[in-house]
Amino acid sequence: MSTSRTSDAPTGSDLAPLVRRAAERLAASGVTSADVDAELLAAHVLGIGRGELAAAMMRGDRMPEAAATRLAELVERRAAREPLQHLTGTAPFRHLELRVGPGVFVPRPETEMVAQLAIDALRAAPGPEPVAVDLGTGSGALALSLATEVPHAQVHAAENSVDAFLWAKENFARHAPHARLAFIDLADAFPELDGTVSVVVSNPPYVPDDAIPRDPEVRFWDPPAALYGGPDGLDVVRVLSHVALRLLHPGGTLVIEHGEWQGSGIRDLLTADGWRGAATHRDLTTRDRATTALRP
């Protein structure tokens, strides 16, 4: 057998069976994406991509014992339902690789369509440097998508959690140092921008207080302040409505992510506050995911 880059010595364990056993362990613990997670953890330990891992497994490469021990440790933590992204330290979002860990909400694939709604609105905004604001940025996923995919825009982001702010600060420095990150409560954010903003976007906490998330990764690891939004889940949405009315210029766009059963309530709330054209949009799983509205 030829020596490969995944093996720094002829000793070690066969890679493919290690990954297969890791997947079996994760599946037994209830991880629905067991095969994918096992491969991503093995690739992380080896410092290679998932494609390279697949090639190494097909070649019959071996994993050094130290790496195999590290993989076993991570598999047990994942089996205990610690989020995969906390174990690898990264979360993919659109074209970005974001640094994440304890204390920050892990961005989800369904939020990528929320980013697209905001990006489309920002690209359509008139002027050479349209302004966008992300309220409650968390890891920075939405703001950094805007800043990198609409590079001529001015992007501002607000976050008031110390832990989340530290993760966001790292991600902003890495991906969009020209964008502005402020440690401030979203209710008080950016008064100097009042009436000048083209797009306000937010993924606020919207889980009703008594609706405990089913997945352990969410229930035990995502920060509660990023999840729960009051008795009906809309407490922060109500604040967002008033803040966005202050920030946006006439014709500006508000984009809010929410739960799949909340579209009607949010449309009614926004319409009552004076917003125009409130509309709810579905994600790729056909679930209501975001509502947009225009400032009068």
Side-chain angles (χ1 to χ4, degrees), residues 79-129:
R81 308 306 290 271
E82 187 170 346
L84 172 72
Q85 296 88 347
H86 286 196
L87 301 178
T88 64
T90 62
F93 188 83
R94 294 177 70 89
H95 65 288
L96 303 168
E97 281 286 337
L98 300 173
R99 292 279 293 137
V100 296
V104 69
F105 184 81
V106 175
R108 309 300 204 256
E110 54 265 29
T111 302
E112 294 188 8
M113 67 81 63
V114 181
Q116 190 64 57
L117 290 169
I119 288 167
D120 291 344
L122 191 57
R123 285 174 174 164
E129 292 185 314

Side-chain angles (χ1 to χ4, degrees), residues 135 185-188 234-244 269:
L135 296 174
D185 190 273
L186 64 85
D188 306 313
L234 301 182
D235 282 1
V236 180
V237 174
R238 294 182 179 93
V239 176
L240 283 171
S241 174
H242 294 288
V243 174
L269 184 161

